[in-house]
Amino acid sequence: MKRRIATLLLIAVMAITTGCGANAETGGAVPPPTAQTQGGGPREGLDGTKFTETRHITVEVFDRANDGGSKPEDNFYTNYIQEGMLRDHNVEVTFVTVPRWTEIEELNNLLAAGTAPDICLTYSYPTVQTYANMGAVIDLAPYVDECKDILPNLWDLLGERNIYWDKDPKTGSIYAIEALLASLARVNTFVREDWLKTLDIPEPTTLDEFHNMLTAFRDNAETLLGADADKLVPFSISYDVGWRAETLIVSFVPDSITDKTRYIYGFDDRRLLYPNYKEGVKVLNEWYNEGLIWKDFALYGSGDTTEENMMKAGYIGAYSHNIDNAYRNGEDSIDANLKRNIGPEAGFIAVDPFPNDVGKYKKYVSPPIDRKVFFPATNEEPVASLLYLDWISSYDNRIFLQYGEEGVTHETQADGSFKTIAASGDKIMNSPNNIDYVMTLNGHKLKDQALTFKTLAQGYAGVDSRYIELAYEVALTDIVPGISVNVGVIEAENGIDTSLAKKRDTFLNQSIVASTADFDRVYDEGMSDYLASGGQAIIDERAGKWSEFFGDAEMLP
Amino acid sequence: MLKRGGRVKGRTSAYLKRYWMLYALMLAPLIYFIIFKYIPMTYIQIAFKKFNITQSVWEMEWAKNNGFEYFIKAFSNRDFLYAVRNTVMLNVLDLAIGFPAPIFLAVLLNELAFKRFKKITQTIIYMPHFLSWVIISGLALQLFAPTTGLVNTALGKIGLGPIPFLNESVHWVITYIFIGVWQSAGWNTIIYLAAITGINPELYEAAAVDGVNRLQKIWHITIAGIKPTIVVLLVMNLGRILSSDFDRPYALGNNLVSNVSDVIATFVYTNGIRGSQFSLATAVGLFQSVICVIFLLASNAIAEKFGEHGIMS
């Protein structure tokens, strides 16, 4: 009997510890409505640009968790910023880390708990908009205008274009300031230069040539990889097909696409709704079935390094990615690894193989905007926070943060350009040119264009600047910058971008791995599900807004 | 009357005087439950209100349709219905395959003659229980990925085509269920082994005298002896049919199999936590909890019946 009771007790304990398992993870602390500290105007307590009493702000910084990196919230560069802000503005700065790859979830949690940093940044404007709709984001419009004279560096770097980018046409509110994207070069297709030489194939300039090249890689696996022949992947993509095959897919978009079409069908940042997108995906489907595409691409999630390791090991023939993907990260770059693992001749080169219907190599790039900087309503120091942005944007400060110390992270050349040196230890930069600290700027912006370009090409320690120049040249060929269609909030976009992006990835993945005969069915079903789940509502609302603001016009005024 | 009342009063105060420390001790867990379990429940309102992070939950506006806007939204969302279907399907399969596995294993362990071998085996089969699903999914990718996975590479060497363990819906479901069995069967044998030790050894001796063979012993004594435990656990598992883990399907799932791997918990994550639709997510969570409670109460009632039966026999 005792044993039986003991058994029942044990069952009870196990049942409690295993639990019902229902996940109701919402809720959490809700902050009280914040009282804006506006008594006496925004300049209260300021003597010139310096506070008479020390103020305190918190600033978001991405944690990229790189190998050998330093603590993103406490290192040589954060000390530089903290000392400078205290000296120049009497503002104490604390950094708060947010993981780079799950930034939206983390920000959601911080905002919902009322503990978000005073200065937040994200790549997702819909996230800002969602919280602005709840009144949880400070309207920056009055501050940026009233304090214009004490924010000279910010206005100088970003200009009206970026500061007013998100200004609501009706209410005039500004919930986020758009950082400047200095170079619009964005995406490249890379192929193994040494493989082209081994197989005596010229660099591909058309889709057919590219396809033939991939086929040749596949068929000559023994020559190229010897014993590892079965590991060869001619073309690799990730689950994020729209991004990783973008150069190929958008080459099917008709050259004649108008601003109106680009706006109405432009919600998805991978351009999923653009005309003829399906044709591009169909090519991938055919290639997949010919064994030219990495079979496991859909299994690995965001931030997984399996694919990158395959590139570094030399198994991948071609891929498409960020403009400088093969060369960035110094000693740990794909290029450096290839040279170490295979030999000095191994390496990737940028090519431009996908002309559109009129033979142009169009690449749809972002508008000159980058991260969105916003202040949550819990920020009690909007002016101190703006002074922080101004401080970061000042030429001398951002140059130091981007290029570091002379002789440690860069060498100044005779012409005044900077050549990057790979650093380690506490002066290592956790992100390329400390982009995570220089939150108002992405890329190089020196005194003039020529210097900027030279610095750019020398920005990759250990890489022949010829490759970098070529990469930028290719990436800038026939670029089409994004357009700013400022028609206010599209209600249908509220809170839906992440679930729609997941749907997009899901059905693109499924249609690529479908048999060629099934492709149309899988793609069309996926697309109609996407449209039914909110995509069509966005298209309709955008179409309505366009005709409200621009009438029948096909192009922006 | 007065006298009697006074006596009761006197008894109560004497009782309290004597045992107040026990009540004081119980206060701590009570406060814990009130603060961390009951007060947060006030936020269930979010399911019926228009969520706003700058307002307290009491100030938020009621949602449309008498507060049921988000429930209507969830039930008119195809993804949610698929998530419900997948949750039930995966749990039923888990029950059908994952539930008998530890019983089988416990009986096998019980039959082992070498005690040391039995102990070592037990320790080894418990171990997967302590791995997180993130690690297990990493292992699964290393083993089962079509081109780089160890199993498929080995199959390739002997001329067998890759088996799409993780990238085709039906195969994925099988992989999912069996990885679950591998992870938890060993751990779940603990209860059955404990129940088996509760069986009177005289029964085995008597059976041996009667010339009963081994399989008959297992069936008529061991299994019969642990039947009450099996019934109780089965009923409790039935109560969890609509509850769902988050980490297991999320970590093992991928875009190619999302038609079977998206469950309620991952739906809540994608739409609620990532998509900031907190009201919708709370509504779904509440729906799930209510169904859970109904199932639990129903199964509890059945458990009591079977429990009596189990104890009587």
Side-chain angles (χ1 to χ4, degrees):
Chain A
M1 193 62 200
K2 261 188 183 169
R3 274 181 177 156
R4 195 164 272 160
I5 290 170
T7 313
L8 283 173
L9 256 176
L10 199 57
I11 295 170
V13 170
M14 301 266 291
I16 289 166
T17 47
T18 336
C20 184
N23 274 315
E25 286 195 11
T26 45
V30 174
T34 25
Q36 292 279 337
T37 48
Q38 282 199 345
R43 287 171 200 243
E44 199 191 358
L46 264 179
D47 177 18
T49 61
K50 198 166 177 174
F51 285 100
T52 46
E53 270 173 58
T54 306
R55 303 296 176 101
H56 189 96
I57 59 168
T58 49
V59 178
E60 177 187 343
V61 59
F62 283 141
D63 185 352
R64 293 173 190 261
N66 4 16
D67 285 345
S70 58
K71 268 169 106 173
E73 75 278 21
D74 179 20
N75 58 50
F76 178 67
Y77 301 100
T78 55
N79 292 343
Y80 175 80
I81 298 172
Q82 283 160 335
E83 281 163 23
M85 277 301 289
L86 201 59
R87 182 186 61 230
D88 298 343
H89 300 301
N90 199 12
V91 172
E92 255 179 20
V93 179
T94 314
F95 291 93
V96 178
T97 54
V98 166
R100 169 67 185 96
W101 313 115
T102 49
E103 49 139 348
I104 296 175
E105 293 93 317
E106 188 78 12
L107 264 186
N108 278 344
N109 286 341
L110 290 171
L111 285 163
T115 54
D118 293 330
I119 303 181
C120 290
L121 69 162
T122 175
Y123 281 95
S124 159
Y125 190 73
T127 299
V128 180
Q129 187 65 60
T130 304
Y131 286 99
N133 291 349
M134 299 181 197
V137 177
I138 291 184
D139 175 10
L140 293 170
Y143 294 101
V144 286
D145 287 332
E146 273 183 50
C147 301
K148 193 169 180 176
D149 59 311
I150 55 168
L151 306 168
N153 301 307
L154 186 68
W155 277 91
D156 187 43
L157 180 69
L158 300 183
E160 276 193 15
R161 187 185 59 190
N162 281 45
I163 289 179
Y164 290 157
W165 191 277
D166 295 318
K167 188 169 185 162
D168 190 286
K170 288 192 178 133
T171 63
S173 58
I174 300 174
Y175 289 113
I177 293 177
E178 297 281 349
L180 178 68
L181 183 61
S183 168
L184 294 181
R186 180 166 161 269
V187 56
N188 258 326
T189 311
F190 296 97
V191 301
R192 280 285 292 276
E193 192 186 19
D194 49 325
W195 287 10
L196 291 179
K197 281 184 186 146
T198 310
L199 300 177
D200 198 23
I201 306 172
E203 285 170 23
T205 55
T206 63
L207 184 65
D208 277 342
E209 286 175 23
F210 192 80
H211 181 221
N212 292 340
M213 177 195 78
L214 297 181
T215 316
F217 286 169
R218 183 195 64 194
D219 297 343
N220 293 291
E222 296 270 333
T223 322
L224 296 170
L225 287 182
D228 286 330
D230 58 339
K231 293 183 180 150
L232 187 138
V233 172
F235 187 60
S236 90
I237 54 177
S238 77
Y239 78 94
D240 191 352
V241 179
W243 158 234
R244 294 294 310 285
E246 172 159 352
T247 45
L248 186 158
I249 298 175
V250 299
S251 70
F252 285 86
V253 174
D255 193 71
S256 56
I257 186 169
T258 62
D259 286 352
K260 183 180 173 184
T261 311
R262 285 176 67 196
Y263 174 68
I264 293 175
Y265 297 98
F267 168 72
D268 183 66
D269 61 353
R270 307 299 191 230
R271 284 160 261 281
L272 173 74
L273 301 169
Y274 273 24
N276 268 353
Y277 195 90
K278 185 180 169 187
E279 300 308 308
V281 182
K282 195 179 182 124
V283 169
L284 291 170
N285 168 263
E286 284 160 11
W287 290 1
Y288 181 89
N289 285 304
E290 289 168 26
L292 300 176
I293 288 180
W294 186 33
K295 290 271 180 229
D296 303 357
F297 76 93
L299 299 185
Y300 295 92
S302 162
D304 189 275
T305 52
T306 306
E307 189 199 3
E308 196 181 307
N309 290 338
M310 286 163 61
M311 291 170 187
K312 288 173 176 173
Y315 301 150
I316 287 176
Y319 71 102
S320 173
H321 210 294
N322 271 318
I323 158 116
D324 56 355
N325 182 269
Y327 314 116
R328 60 161 71 171
N329 279 350
E331 279 298 293
D332 196 34
S333 70
I334 292 166
D335 199 66
N337 273 286
L338 280 176
K339 298 216 163 19
R340 263 200 304 275
N341 296 336
I342 297 164
E345 75 292 342
F348 280 102
I349 187 169
V351 294
D352 209 3
F354 307 120
N356 68 6
D357 51 347
V358 300
K360 280 191 188 158
Y361 292 86
K362 270 194 177 174
K363 292 162 198 83
Y364 295 87
V365 297
S366 331
I369 57 170
D370 194 62
R371 288 153 294 175
K372 296 92 186 62
V373 180
F374 67 98
F375 300 167
T378 44
N379 180 337
E380 290 175 354
E381 300 285 356
V383 178
S385 308
L386 279 171
L387 282 171
Y388 178 88
L389 296 182
D390 185 74
W391 192 90
I392 284 287
S393 309
S394 100
Y395 188 80
D396 291 338
N397 293 338
R398 70 177 160 86
I399 292 297
F400 183 85
L401 288 169
Q402 287 190 304
Y403 305 102
E405 270 185 349
E406 178 75 44
V408 179
T409 45
H410 78 266
E411 274 167 4
T412 311
Q413 306 293 293
D415 57 12
S417 63
F418 300 118
K419 183 178 164 65
T420 304
I421 313 171
S424 57
D426 68 330
K427 287 176 187 171
I428 192 171
M429 294 187 185
N430 290 323
S431 50
N433 292 99
N434 272 334
I435 178 176
D436 291 345
Y437 299 121
V438 189
M439 58 169 68
T440 49
L441 175 65
N442 177 2
H444 303 267
K445 191 168 166 50
L446 292 145
K447 291 228 152 64
D448 61 66
Q449 274 285 305
L451 212 56
T452 304
F453 200 71
K454 270 184 203 139
T455 300
L456 195 69
Q458 297 175 110
Y460 299 85
V463 182
D464 188 341
S465 59
R466 190 167 63 88
Y467 289 98
I468 311 293
E469 280 166 32
L470 180 70
Y472 275 87
E473 193 188 308
V474 169
L476 287 169
T477 308
D478 298 335
I479 56 165
V480 187
I483 46 175
S484 162
V485 181
N486 209 336
V487 293
V489 182
I490 304 290
E491 291 293 338
E493 293 174 9
N494 200 356
I496 206 164
D497 61 325
T498 46
S499 60
L500 280 186
K502 184 171 183 291
K503 276 201 183 295
R504 170 200 67 205
D505 291 341
T506 302
F507 91 79
L508 288 182
N509 286 187
Q510 289 172 349
S511 47
I512 289 174
V513 305
S515 69
T516 316
D518 278 344
F519 174 78
D520 280 324
R521 184 183 58 78
V522 176
Y523 188 96
D524 294 342
E525 276 177 15
M527 183 55 100
S528 64
D529 177 41
Y530 181 95
L531 293 174
S533 306
Q536 190 60 48
I538 294 172
I539 293 173
D540 295 343
E541 198 178 334
R542 281 189 173 220
K545 287 272 186 182
W546 179 277
S547 46
E548 183 189 333
F549 281 79
F550 308 106
D552 292 336
E554 284 294 322
M555 302 302 267
L556 282 172
Chain B
M1 281 302 267
L2 265 173
K3 233 180 172 180
R4 232 175 99 196
R7 254 209 321 273
V8 170
K9 209 178 167 190
R11 272 217 306 266
T12 318
S13 67
Y15 175 84
L16 274 180
K17 220 173 219 172
R18 194 164 164 196
Y19 292 115
W20 68 270
M21 279 177 291
L22 292 179
Y23 283 91
L25 270 176
M26 219 175 75
L27 214 56
L30 268 180
I31 292 171
Y32 167 83
F33 273 99
I34 289 169
I35 293 178
F36 292 103
K37 301 285 173 193
Y38 284 89
I39 293 178
M41 275 192 210
T42 57
Y43 289 91
I44 287 175
Q45 297 177 64
I46 290 173
F48 304 97
K49 289 185 163 181
K50 217 168 139 29
F51 180 74
N52 187 322
I53 61 167
T54 58
Q55 289 173 330
S56 113
V57 68
W58 302 101
E59 297 165 356
M60 291 176 200
E61 257 176 73
W62 289 98
K64 283 175 253 170
N65 291 318
N66 301 320
F68 283 88
E69 178 187 358
Y70 295 103
F71 291 89
I72 295 167
K73 209 172 161 188
F75 280 97
S76 54
N77 185 330
R78 245 188 329 167
D79 295 334
F80 173 69
L81 299 176
Y82 282 136
V84 172
R85 182 201 66 185
N86 292 340
T87 308
V88 173
M89 175 194 72
L90 292 176
N91 284 338
V92 166
L93 285 173
D94 248 348
L95 199 63
I97 296 161
F99 183 75
I103 302 172
F104 192 67
L105 207 57
V107 171
L108 286 185
L109 282 171
N110 188 51
E111 296 299 316
L112 286 174
F114 301 105
K115 290 299 160 207
R116 175 163 292 186
F117 181 74
K118 181 186 165 188
K119 276 190 177 148
I120 293 172
T121 313
Q122 266 180 281
T123 311
I124 291 173
I125 61 174
Y126 291 167
M127 277 181 185
H129 175 78
F130 298 101
L131 294 179
S132 89
W133 280 105
V134 177
I135 294 171
I136 296 176
S137 81
L139 287 173
L141 273 174
Q142 295 292 324
L143 289 171
F144 299 129
T147 57
T148 49
L150 189 67
V151 173
N152 276 320
T153 316
L155 285 176
K157 297 275 186 223
I158 56 169
L160 293 172
I163 299 173
F165 292 109
L166 297 169
N167 46 339
E168 192 273 321
S169 302
V170 175
H171 285 84
W172 183 86
V173 171
I174 297 170
T175 312
Y176 174 91
I177 298 297
F178 280 95
I179 290 181
V181 169
W182 172 80
Q183 193 254 6
S184 60
W187 179 254
N188 290 336
T189 57
I190 294 178
I191 294 174
Y192 297 111
L193 285 171
I196 289 171
T197 48
I199 298 169
N200 188 349
E202 283 173 13
L203 291 175
Y204 291 101
E205 285 155 21
V209 171
D210 288 345
V212 169
N213 72 24
R214 199 161 194 181
L215 279 177
Q216 283 171 320
K217 264 195 214 165
I218 291 176
W219 185 251
H220 292 290
I221 303 175
T222 314
I223 300 281
I226 61 173
K227 211 171 91 190
T229 314
I230 295 176
V231 169
V232 170
L233 280 176
L234 180 67
V235 171
M236 283 182 135
N237 270 299
L238 277 170
R240 289 210 289 265
I241 213 82
L242 201 74
S243 72
S244 68
D245 294 336
F246 169 72
D247 35 2
R248 183 171 164 205
Y250 185 75
L252 287 174
N254 61 62
N255 284 339
L256 297 181
V257 295
S258 58
N259 60 332
V260 289
S261 70
D262 280 351
V263 295
I264 297 177
T266 55
F267 176 86
V268 168
Y269 172 73
T270 317
N271 292 278
I273 313 296
R274 277 190 64 102
S276 354
Q277 300 185 64
F278 297 109
S279 295
L280 179 71
T282 314
V284 169
L286 182 62
F287 160 75
Q288 196 183 11
S289 301
V290 167
I291 300 288
C292 252
V293 168
I294 293 171
F295 266 88
L296 266 181
L297 291 179
S299 55
N300 190 46
I302 301 169
E304 270 168 14
K305 273 190 180 171
F306 274 94
E308 277 172 22
H309 172 77
I311 290 164
M312 293 293 281
S313 67

